């Protein structure tokens, strides 16, 4: 089976080749900054424009199954599409729009060393962006996903001393997640 980091590096190399900005997200990214957990797929937020789509899909199709119509719709509607490798591992590509959170995710991403020999890097959603995105997913899912909540609390607990809490609270308030963030911060403090 393909190693998720190796697969993320393969996709990232293709995105870089086509000047498509990206940030690794989801459980793989939150495991880097919070509580580690297993994952069966990879989430990447991307800034993809219509003019880039055909060339990118042509390159991706060499190594992956790509639902072309879903990719086209994702670019038009700022939704997602996926890639599937030969082992059946899935990469979800979330095409970003112009929301505050979408902009935050790319503006604050961090370049992380993921292998040392040879040195290889991935752009990863910053802890604050991950907290906000996961709170958004948690809220959209009816505030019932224990996994999303555990990821949020784990990141807040592990990164509390490095997070700009004032900025995080301000952004959360601006996008309607202020109360959820306050609850998560209290929960992270209680479980320290």
């Amino acid at each position: 089976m393909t190693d998720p980091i190796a697969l993320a590096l393969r996709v990232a190399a293709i995105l870089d080749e086509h000047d498509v900005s990206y940030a690794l997200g989801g459980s793989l990214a939150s495991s880097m900054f919070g509580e580690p957990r297993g994952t069966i797929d990879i989430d990447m937020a991307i800034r993809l424009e219509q003019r880039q789509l055909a060339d990118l899909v042509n390159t991706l199709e060499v190594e992956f199954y790509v639902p072309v119509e879903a990719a086209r719709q994702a670019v038009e509607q700022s939704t997602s599409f996926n890639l599937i490798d030969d082992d059946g591992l899935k990469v979800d590509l979330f095409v970003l729009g112009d929301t505050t959170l979408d902009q935050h995710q790319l503006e604050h991403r961090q370049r992380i060393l993921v292998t040392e020999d040879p040195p290889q890097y991935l752009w990863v959603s910053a802890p604050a962006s991950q907290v906000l995105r996961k709170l958004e997913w948690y809220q959209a899912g009816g505030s019932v996903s224990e996994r999303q909540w555990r990821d949020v609390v784990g990141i807040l607990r592990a990164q509390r001393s490095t997070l700009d809490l004032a900025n995080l609270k301000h952004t959360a308030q601006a996008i309607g997640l202020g109360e959820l963030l306050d609850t998560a911060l209290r929960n992270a403090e209680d479980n320290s």
Side-chain angles (χ1 to χ4, degrees):
M1 182 128 174
T2 305
D3 169 39
I5 293 290
L7 180 56
L9 285 164
R10 280 174 36 212
V11 174
I14 293 169
L15 295 172
D16 285 340
E17 176 185 331
H18 290 273
D19 292 323
V20 175
S21 297
Y22 74 89
L24 181 69
S27 60
L28 195 56
S30 65
S31 293
M32 293 178 179
F33 293 113
E35 179 181 301
R37 75 170 164 97
T39 184
I40 55 171
D41 64 2
I42 296 162
D43 297 332
M44 298 177 102
I46 63 173
R47 173 77 64 213
L48 181 61
E49 297 179 25
Q50 189 67 41
R51 63 178 173 73
Q52 298 170 296
L53 182 61
D55 287 342
L56 177 64
V57 166
N58 286 339
T59 302
L60 287 168
E61 285 182 318
V62 172
E63 294 187 57
F64 302 96
Y65 165 74
V66 182
V68 177
E69 182 59 23
R72 187 188 61 71
Q73 287 179 2
V75 172
E76 290 174 2
Q77 301 168 8
S78 297
T79 58
S80 65
F81 66 101
N82 53 47
L83 314 174
I84 300 173
D85 81 347
D86 292 338
D87 291 329
L89 198 58
K90 185 173 66 149
V91 179
D92 292 320
L93 297 178
F94 294 86
V95 181
L96 298 174
D98 293 322
T99 69
T100 299
L101 188 48
D102 289 349
Q103 292 172 12
H104 191 280
Q105 197 163 0
L106 287 183
E107 288 172 5
H108 298 278
R109 66 189 178 153
Q110 298 177 1
R111 191 168 179 248
I112 304 292
L113 177 69
V114 293
T115 64
E116 291 187 11
D117 190 24
Q120 294 180 295
Y121 297 84
L122 284 171
W123 285 105
V124 179
S125 292
S129 296
Q130 290 182 49
V131 165
L132 294 169
R133 185 64 76 188
K134 286 181 171 291
L135 285 175
E136 178 186 61
W137 291 336
Y138 179 78
Q139 185 178 60
S143 300
V144 297
S145 173
E146 288 183 37
R147 264 198 244 172
Q148 294 295 347
W149 190 256
R150 193 171 53 242
D151 286 348
V152 167
V153 171
I155 293 167
L156 290 172
R157 190 177 309 120
Q159 300 296 318
R160 187 163 193 127
S161 64
T162 61
L163 286 170
D164 180 346
L165 288 178
N167 188 357
L168 179 59
K169 288 178 180 183
H170 174 76
T171 305
Q173 194 66 36
I175 61 176
L177 298 171
E179 287 183 32
L180 261 182
L181 176 62
D182 288 342
T183 302
L185 285 165
R186 284 192 301 275
N187 196 253
E189 213 167 80
D190 292 344
N191 294 326
S192 302

